[in-house]
Amino acid sequence: GHNLLIAHAMAWHTYDRRYRSHQQGMVSFSIQSDWAEAANPYFESHFTAAERFLQFEIAWLADPVFKNGDYPEGLRDYIVSKNRRGLSNSVLPEITDGENNW
Protein backbone atom coordinates (compact mmCIF):
# COMPACT_ATOMS: atom_id res chain seq x y z
CA GLY A 1 0.00 0.00 0.00
CA HIS A 2 2.70 2.49 0.94
CA ASN A 3 4.60 2.00 -2.32
CA LEU A 4 1.33 2.18 -4.24
CA LEU A 5 0.62 5.62 -2.74
CA ILE A 6 4.12 6.89 -3.52
CA ALA A 7 4.04 5.52 -7.08
CA HIS A 8 0.65 7.10 -7.75
CA ALA A 9 1.83 10.45 -6.40
CA MET A 10 4.92 10.31 -8.60
CA ALA A 11 2.85 9.42 -11.67
CA TRP A 12 0.33 12.20 -10.97
CA HIS A 13 3.02 14.84 -10.54
CA THR A 14 4.92 13.65 -13.61
CA TYR A 15 1.75 13.93 -15.68
CA ASP A 16 0.92 17.29 -14.15
CA ARG A 17 4.39 18.74 -14.92
CA ARG A 18 5.00 17.23 -18.35
CA TYR A 19 1.75 16.45 -20.12
CA ARG A 20 -1.34 18.12 -18.63
CA SER A 21 -0.82 21.47 -20.32
CA HIS A 22 -0.69 19.76 -23.74
CA GLN A 23 -3.16 16.91 -23.29
CA GLN A 24 -5.62 18.53 -20.84
CA GLY A 25 -6.14 15.08 -19.32
CA MET A 26 -6.89 13.85 -15.83
CA VAL A 27 -5.42 11.16 -13.59
CA SER A 28 -7.70 9.42 -11.13
CA PHE A 29 -7.25 7.29 -8.03
CA SER A 30 -9.64 4.40 -7.49
CA ILE A 31 -9.81 2.45 -4.25
CA GLN A 32 -11.54 -0.92 -4.38
CA SER A 33 -12.68 -2.29 -1.06
CA ASP A 34 -15.29 -4.25 0.77
CA TRP A 35 -17.71 -2.58 3.17
CA ALA A 36 -18.64 -3.54 6.71
CA GLU A 37 -21.48 -2.69 9.05
CA ALA A 38 -21.87 -3.63 12.68
CA ALA A 39 -23.57 -7.04 12.86
CA ASN A 40 -25.59 -5.67 15.77
CA PRO A 41 -25.48 -1.86 15.97
CA TYR A 42 -26.46 -1.99 19.65
CA PHE A 43 -23.16 -3.62 20.63
CA GLU A 44 -20.20 -1.25 20.82
CA SER A 45 -17.79 -4.11 20.04
CA HIS A 46 -19.56 -4.75 16.72
CA PHE A 47 -19.43 -1.07 15.79
CA THR A 48 -15.73 -0.91 16.73
CA ALA A 49 -14.91 -4.02 14.68
CA ALA A 50 -16.70 -2.64 11.61
CA GLU A 51 -14.93 0.70 11.97
CA ARG A 52 -11.52 -0.99 12.33
CA PHE A 53 -12.25 -3.08 9.21
CA LEU A 54 -12.99 0.10 7.23
CA GLN A 55 -9.80 1.72 8.54
CA PHE A 56 -7.80 -1.22 7.18
CA GLU A 57 -9.79 -1.46 3.93
CA ILE A 58 -10.31 2.15 2.90
CA ALA A 59 -8.82 4.77 5.20
CA TRP A 60 -5.24 3.52 5.04
CA LEU A 61 -5.19 4.44 1.33
CA ALA A 62 -7.71 7.31 1.34
CA ASP A 63 -6.58 9.35 4.34
CA PRO A 64 -3.04 10.06 3.09
CA VAL A 65 -4.42 11.22 -0.27
CA PHE A 66 -7.72 12.93 0.53
CA LYS A 67 -7.61 13.81 4.21
CA ASN A 68 -4.44 14.67 6.07
CA GLY A 69 -1.37 13.23 4.34
CA ASP A 70 -0.92 10.45 6.88
CA TYR A 71 -2.31 7.08 7.81
CA PRO A 72 -5.27 7.07 10.22
CA GLU A 73 -4.29 7.46 13.87
CA GLY A 74 -6.64 4.64 14.86
CA LEU A 75 -4.85 2.31 12.48
CA ARG A 76 -1.46 3.22 13.93
CA ASP A 77 -2.78 2.81 17.49
CA TYR A 78 -4.23 -0.62 16.73
CA ILE A 79 -0.98 -1.89 15.21
CA VAL A 80 1.06 -0.57 18.15
CA SER A 81 -1.38 -2.19 20.59
CA LYS A 82 -1.05 -5.58 18.86
CA ASN A 83 2.74 -5.28 18.85
CA ARG A 84 2.88 -4.42 22.57
CA ARG A 85 0.86 -7.52 23.40
CA GLY A 86 3.17 -9.70 21.32
CA LEU A 87 0.41 -10.50 18.83
CA SER A 88 2.10 -8.93 15.83
CA ASN A 89 5.32 -7.35 14.66
CA SER A 90 3.77 -5.26 11.88
CA VAL A 91 4.94 -1.74 11.18
CA LEU A 92 3.01 0.96 9.38
CA PRO A 93 5.55 3.05 7.46
CA GLU A 94 5.95 6.73 8.23
CA ILE A 95 5.07 9.06 5.39
CA THR A 96 8.02 11.41 5.17
CA ASP A 97 7.77 15.14 4.46
CA GLY A 98 9.38 14.49 1.08
CA GLU A 99 6.78 11.85 0.23
CA ASN A 100 3.99 14.06 1.53
CA ASN A 101 5.09 16.87 -0.78
CA TRP A 102 4.62 14.67 -3.80
Side-chain angles (χ1 to χ4, degrees), residues 1 3 6 23 25 30-31 44 54 59 63 71 77 82 84 90:
N3 290 334
I6 302 308
Q23 297 178 350
S30 177
I31 300 173
E44 182 67 26
L54 294 175
D63 282 13
Y71 297 111
D77 293 345
K82 297 280 277 191
R84 283 188 182 140
S90 297

Side-chain angles (χ1 to χ4, degrees), residues 45-73:
S45 62
H46 289 209
F47 177 80
T48 302
E51 183 64 26
R52 183 173 54 246
F53 176 83
L54 294 175
Q55 291 281 312
F56 275 87
E57 280 287 304
I58 300 171
W60 80 290
L61 292 174
D63 282 13
V65 175
F66 302 114
K67 190 174 178 183
N68 61 4
D70 197 9
Y71 297 111
E73 185 176 334

Side-chain angles (χ1 to χ4, degrees), residues 1-3 56 60 70-73 75-84 87-95:
H2 184 77
N3 290 334
F56 275 87
W60 80 290
D70 197 9
Y71 297 111
E73 185 176 334
L75 188 63
R76 286 195 184 281
D77 293 345
Y78 183 76
I79 290 171
V80 167
S81 169
K82 297 280 277 191
N83 288 346
R84 283 188 182 140
L87 301 173
S88 175
N89 61 358
S90 297
V91 176
L92 192 59
E94 295 289 330
I95 297 175

